[in-house]
Amino acid sequence: HIHLQHTSTLSQTYNTSLATLSSIPPSHLQLDETAIDELVGNELLTTHEEVLADLSTLKTTRATLLETAQAQYELEKEVVRYLPWLKGGMKVDEDEVKFCNGLLEKLELLKVIHADAKAVRDKKRDDEARQKALEEAEARRREEEEERKRSLEDAMKSKEMEAKPGMVWNKQLREYQYLHDHTEESWRD
């Protein structure tokens, strides 16, 4: 990681140096005696100062480029140490890619089976849900029926609780009835 950062820094330094070199006017780098002969006075002094500044820039940039090249060379020598490790990493990566490709093939085969299994599972869940709904509906119906019977009994009992003297509760008919008096013979009349 550090080597990559250092390489990036060296690359930036190199590009900056190239930009500095390209900023120097070509006329200051080439000897054109006829153009120099035409300069006089302040123009000659100004051009002389500019050429001296550009020469200084050239020396500084040359030193920077030399340092950059030497640092790059040292990094390249150091990188050689990592080549066996990188080759080993690439081999591991190739093995992992082969393994992943094998898994992908198996997954493609399983996709067909999975679709069938999913359809069966969904049908089973639907059947179970339908059966549960039917059972719940039946339980509600029974509960409602029992509640209805209880309420009828309660209603009948409450109505009939006002039984008159001589009446008895008949469980089968769910009502109070008069108890027949065997001694009474009025029915024979």
Side-chain angles (χ1 to χ4, degrees):
H1 182 58
I2 293 172
H3 295 300
L4 289 176
Q5 287 178 343
H6 194 57
T7 302
S8 175
T9 304
L10 289 175
S11 177
Q12 288 174 352
T13 304
Y14 176 76
N15 290 334
T16 304
S17 297
L18 287 181
T20 303
L21 289 177
S22 66
S23 70
I24 297 174
S27 62
H28 292 184
L29 300 175
Q30 298 172 350
L31 182 60
D32 185 4
E33 291 180 21
T34 57
I36 292 177
D37 288 340
E38 294 174 4
L39 297 175
V40 205
N42 286 339
E43 289 180 344
L44 184 61
L45 286 175
T46 305
T47 304
H48 177 67
E49 288 172 1
E50 289 175 354
V51 168
L52 286 179
D54 288 342
L55 283 174
S56 173
T57 302
L58 275 173
K59 286 179 185 177
T60 307
T61 306
R62 181 177 179 259
T64 303
L65 284 172
L66 182 62
E67 288 175 14
T68 303
Q70 288 173 341
Q72 185 70 30
Y73 176 73
E74 291 299 320
L75 279 175
E76 288 172 357
K77 282 189 341 188
E78 199 171 318
V79 165
V80 171
R81 292 185 336 188
Y82 294 103
L83 284 177
W85 180 80
L86 291 171
K87 286 179 182 176
M90 287 175 58
K91 175 67 176 145
V92 168
D93 289 347
E94 282 179 22
D95 293 343
E96 288 177 356
V97 166
K98 286 179 184 175
F99 175 74
C100 288
N101 287 337
L103 278 178
L104 283 173
E105 290 173 7
K106 290 177 183 176
L107 285 173
E108 288 297 323
L109 294 174
L110 286 175
K111 192 187 320 182
V112 175
I113 295 170
H114 175 71
D116 293 341
K118 183 178 183 277
V120 169
R121 183 182 66 236
D122 290 345
K123 185 180 182 313
K124 183 179 177 184
R125 284 182 182 164
D126 290 345
D127 291 346
E128 288 174 354
R130 202 174 304 115
Q131 182 64 29
K132 185 177 179 181
L134 288 173
E135 289 172 358
E136 289 175 356
E138 179 63 24
R140 267 194 315 273
R141 188 193 60 76
R142 274 186 265 136
E143 188 177 314
E144 288 171 0
E145 181 67 26
E146 288 175 12
E147 181 65 30
R148 188 181 62 78
K149 286 180 183 178
R150 274 190 296 240
S151 67
L152 281 175
E153 283 181 13
D154 291 345
M156 293 297 284
K157 282 183 182 178
S158 65
K159 262 187 182 178
E160 302 297 330
M161 288 309 269
E162 302 169 8
K164 297 176 180 140
M167 295 183 93
V168 179
W169 178 257
N170 185 338
K171 289 182 183 179
Q172 292 174 345
L173 297 176
R174 296 183 185 165
E175 63 182 19
Y176 282 102
Q177 292 181 337
Y178 284 102
L179 186 62
H180 296 302
D181 188 5
H182 297 297
T183 58
E184 187 178 313
E185 302 256 348
S186 63
W187 58 276
R188 292 187 182 195
D189 294 334

